[in-house]
Amino acid sequence: MADTSGNADTTGSPATGETGGAGESPGPAVPRKSSWKYIGPGIVVAATGVGAGDLVATLIAGSNFGYTLLWAAVIGCLVKISLAEAAGRWHLSTGRTLFDGWASLGRWTSWFFVVYVVIWGFVYGAAAMSSSGLPLQALFPDVMDLKWWAVLTGLVGLVFVWFNKYEVFEKVMTVLVGVMFVVTVYLAIRVTPNLGDAFAGLLPVLPDEKDSILNTLGLIGGVGGTITLAAYGYWVNAKGWTNTGWMKVMRFDNRVAYATTGIFVISMLFVGAELLHSANVAIASGDKGLIQLGDILEDEYGTATAKFFLIGFFATSFTSLIGVWHGVSLMFADFVERYHKDRAATAAAKADGGESPASASTPASTPASASGSGEEVASGTHEKSWPFRAYLLWLTFPPIVLLFQGQPFRLIILYGVLGAAFLPFLALTLVWLLNSSRTPAEWRNGILSNSMLTIAGLLFIVLCVKQVWDQPWSEFF
């Protein structure tokens, strides 16, 4: 995809580590141009963003409409490229973290974030563990109950993220993405797609059915990513990319991420169109739809193909689990770090007889060390901090209660509403941050980036309103 900032690369001499920009700091030499050998955070965000639910939604779209909505899946990838690129550009151009940028917009962002991650993390933890346990139970049906498989995957994820730094985490994610890639592409080839119909599906046509517009928008908005899009900038920093010398590499990495996501989604749409649509077979929404697909694959192509698919199903679910365990915990650690610094600054100001510092309009020239900084994330200190580990525990142990006692009705409604509100929040705050003096002038949004982020914001607002409207509020009160 083209340079979404609409600006030329003005990084100076990246090969020697010399960079120019408000958010930059001296660092190791960075490459003159992007290269496959540098990619990593993009693989992580692609693996985390595409969960079992995304694959099921795409399968159902393929089973209901054939190839008609292939164009919507492609647009969904382009929208997410723009969002992730904007998050990464903020981190690299300012040297500040995304949460630090949010905090500069006012305290309301902090309140939204903390309520969101507490409620969302509680419910998501149970969903992620259950999703990872389902394929294991299907592969080993006589070993133990689904709930215990779910608990096991949660504990394994906890231990893995707790004791490993980003480098090891990225390598494991890359291996699991390789498994996902091989399985989904194999299935797409196995069902023998009709390439003529597939190419026709790239033309923007709406299905001739009720609610086709909302179904289409839902597919566009659901292609790989929620809060993990915001975590992308943190993974960029954790990789050691902390200044604008890495901008070209970040953009290449991001494009690879969503090209990979596109291949996953398109492959599953092929499976839905050929295996389910042509035979008029319906599957359930949610993770259990993939178990049904495994049974259908076994009937059509044999046990080996079904087992191979279940391995890919596990890789898809488990990458989402450990990706959230790591990425959102990094964001929470940054939130707590910012909170403590604000309190310390306020106390110091009061001791000096002055006023508490305002954070609502922090300019781009503010030193990154004064608040949340990419250098702090790159140093790895957040990964060993108590807030990082506390949120890891929050994602793992309280949700185990939900696995055994069922999910509270009202909490699920709040989870749905907050989850639907996050992506409009992300898109519109990125528009705000990247068009203001908080971002160095040469790295602010251009026409293309503003257009894509505005479209994304409007799309997610529509989906958010629909999600809120569809909730059974009469039963909530």
Side-chain angles (χ1 to χ4, degrees):
M1 186 175 178
D3 178 350
T4 55
S5 70
N7 299 302
D9 186 355
T10 56
T11 57
S13 177
T16 60
E18 297 174 8
T19 53
E24 298 172 23
S25 56
V30 295
R32 288 185 181 275
K33 59 183 180 179
S34 54
S35 170
W36 287 95
K37 68 180 180 180
Y38 295 113
I39 64 172
I43 294 296
V44 171
V45 77
T48 307
V50 179
D54 297 290
L55 297 187
V56 172
T58 311
L59 271 172
I60 291 175
S63 67
N64 289 340
F65 309 119
Y67 294 103
T68 306
L69 292 181
L70 181 59
W71 63 273
V74 174
I75 290 179
C77 289
L78 295 178
V79 167
K80 302 299 173 55
I81 285 175
S82 300
L83 282 165
E85 187 275 341
R89 176 155 45 94
W90 166 265
H91 277 249
L92 295 182
S93 65
T94 66
R96 298 162 62 193
T97 63
L98 184 55
F99 185 80
D100 189 59
W102 284 338
S104 75
L105 301 177
R107 290 187 177 180
W108 65 274
T109 60
S110 299
W111 283 109
F112 175 80
F113 177 79
V114 72
V115 172
Y116 173 78
V117 295
V118 169
I119 295 177
W120 179 88
F122 183 43
V123 180
Y124 179 83
M129 287 187 276
S130 180
S131 180
S132 297
L134 265 174
L136 292 176
Q137 186 194 35
L139 283 165
F140 310 103
D142 300 322
V143 176
M144 56 184 171
D145 187 70
L146 172 61
K147 294 183 179 65
W148 293 108
W149 279 117
V151 170
L152 178 62
T153 59
L155 293 176
V156 169
L158 170 70
V159 171
F160 171 73
V161 175
W162 188 291
F163 290 104
N164 289 296
K165 297 190 73 172
Y166 175 79
E167 292 79 5
V168 177
F169 166 71
E170 182 190 287
K171 286 181 173 63
V172 171
M173 291 288 273
T174 302
V175 171
L176 292 173
V177 166
V179 174
M180 292 168 60
F181 188 89
V182 170
V183 171
T184 54
V185 171
Y186 166 76
L187 289 178
I189 295 171
R190 193 78 170 82
V191 299
T192 318
N194 185 321
L195 296 182
D197 288 349
F199 281 116
L202 294 174
L203 296 174
V205 176
L206 291 174
D208 186 20
E209 295 191 20
K210 183 182 177 182
D211 294 332
S212 61
I213 293 178
L214 289 175
N215 287 329
T216 303
L217 293 178
L219 181 61
I220 293 172
V223 179
T226 50
I227 194 172
T228 54
L229 288 162
Y232 178 63
Y234 287 84
W235 285 321
V236 163
N237 287 156
K239 180 76 169 176
W241 306 347
T242 57
N243 57 50
T244 56
W246 291 98
M247 194 70 76
K248 283 185 176 180
V249 177
M250 181 276 291
R251 284 172 168 157
F252 178 69
D253 175 77
N254 178 43
R255 291 162 192 157
V256 170
Y258 282 95
T260 305
T261 299
I263 291 171
F264 292 152
V265 170
I266 290 170
S267 294
M268 295 310 288
L269 192 140
F270 281 6
V271 174
E274 292 294 339
L275 194 61
L276 305 178
H277 181 68
S278 59
N280 198 26
V281 174
I283 61 171
S285 60
D287 300 340
K288 291 185 178 179
L290 292 183
I291 296 296
Q292 284 181 267
L293 178 62
D295 294 337
I296 295 169
L297 287 169
E298 184 170 8
D299 292 339
E300 290 285 333
Y301 304 113
T303 303
T305 297
K307 298 290 186 188
F308 191 49
F309 165 72
L310 289 172
I311 292 169
F313 177 7
F314 172 74
T316 301
S317 298
F318 194 65
T319 50
S320 293
L321 186 151
I322 60 176
V324 167
W325 264 228
H326 187 276
V328 184
S329 296
L330 267 183
M331 295 182 70
F332 184 77
D334 187 43
F335 160 75
V336 175
E337 178 74 15
R338 169 79 195 206
Y339 176 75
H340 285 314
K341 285 183 177 179
D342 280 353
R343 289 194 64 182
T346 300
K350 287 181 178 179
D352 291 339
E355 296 181 0
S356 60
S359 62
S361 58
T362 308
S365 58
T366 300
S369 59
S371 53
S373 91
E375 294 285 354
E376 287 179 305
V377 179
S379 71
T381 55
H382 281 348
E383 292 173 279
K384 301 301 178 186
S385 67
W386 71 261
F388 181 92
R389 289 177 166 173
Y391 194 72
L392 268 179
L393 295 173
W394 175 253
L395 283 167
T396 307
F397 289 105
I400 289 175
V401 176
L402 299 186
L403 291 174
F404 287 90
Q405 295 190 356
Q407 299 183 350
F409 177 72
R410 292 180 180 177
L411 193 62
I412 297 302
I413 291 179
L414 292 176
Y415 166 79
V417 170
L418 287 169
F422 184 81
L423 283 177
F425 167 80
L426 175 63
L428 298 178
T429 53
L430 282 171
V431 171
W432 190 347
L433 290 170
L434 292 168
N435 284 288
S436 72
S437 61
R438 298 169 180 84
T439 304
E442 64 268 31
W443 297 111
R444 291 176 196 163
N445 281 353
I447 294 174
L448 179 59
S449 188
N450 274 328
S451 299
M452 292 298 290
L453 290 176
T454 301
I455 290 170
L458 294 174
L459 164 68
F460 295 130
I461 286 173
V462 171
L463 294 175
C464 178
V465 170
K466 180 179 184 298
Q467 179 81 356
V468 172
W469 182 267
D470 288 345
Q471 298 297 330
W473 292 107
S474 61
E475 299 174 37
F476 182 86
F477 297 104

